[in-house]
Amino acid sequence: LPSSRPRMPLELYEFEACPFCRKVREAMTMLDLDVYVYPAPKNGVRFRPQVIEMGGKAQFPYLVDPNTDFKGYESDDIIQYLFKTYGSGRVPLTLAAGPLTSLSSGLASLAKASAGGTRATKTVFPSLPLELWSYEASPFCKNVREKLAELELPYLLHNTARGSQNRKALKERVGRFQVPYIEDPNTGVKMFESAEIVEYLTLTYGPSAPGASTTLPEGLRGISPKVIDVVAEADQQPEPAMESDSVESTDAEGTEGGSQTK
């Protein structure tokens, strides 16, 4: 658990297939940090241009910490910053091995190297960020994150590794601990089950969804949406339109129930 907890979630611009991004996500999982994820896959039109505007180049990951005004590229530099600011100051050996860590992260993504790396041909652009309860090592959670990346869907990630306070919070919120779990304030949908979540995201925001477009609406340009921006609007959302009817153990855990221009 982190030595100090940030008042506001951090902001990470990344894409799922990038091994350098994976290293940073692993660090955030270890530190139990909540983070806004703004997917920037290849050919992305929503958040990739923002990174170029903020930092001057399309390189990933790119981290923004609104608690300290830190902004920066380079996965190793980001990881050192995270452990210095929110940890003990020492980076665990599993993340401190430099190129070896990047290699292992790359191998972990090799089986599905293209998934979550390139933007879908057309998408629907929601105004509100989704919320995802997940942890890095779960293959079921990975499937959901890949789809979120391909569709450029912004989301608030609640990490739920062993020992995380988010496990208890999720159990109190929905009655059991099971990940992945997603809430979509744009539609009111709340659901478990990775396959069902992926199907829902595809039907709602994918190339064949009503309103799908190749072009980002002008009103969303340059905006990285936050949950706090839409509290009043979210309070007026209708009751959930869909929930998984899955009945899983409350202890279900993932079984369901460098530098480059990256």
Side-chain angles (χ1 to χ4, degrees), residues 159-173:
N159 278 302
T160 60
R162 288 189 183 276
S164 169
Q165 66 177 13
N166 286 330
R167 290 194 171 209
K168 179 181 179 181
L170 179 59
K171 190 172 182 178
E172 292 175 348
R173 188 183 188 101

Side-chain angles (χ1 to χ4, degrees), residues 176 178 192-193 244-250 252 256-257:
R176 68 182 187 269
Q178 179 184 330
F192 298 96
E193 303 296 344
S244 167
D245 58 3
S246 167
V247 178
E248 299 282 350
S249 166
T250 56
E256 294 216 55

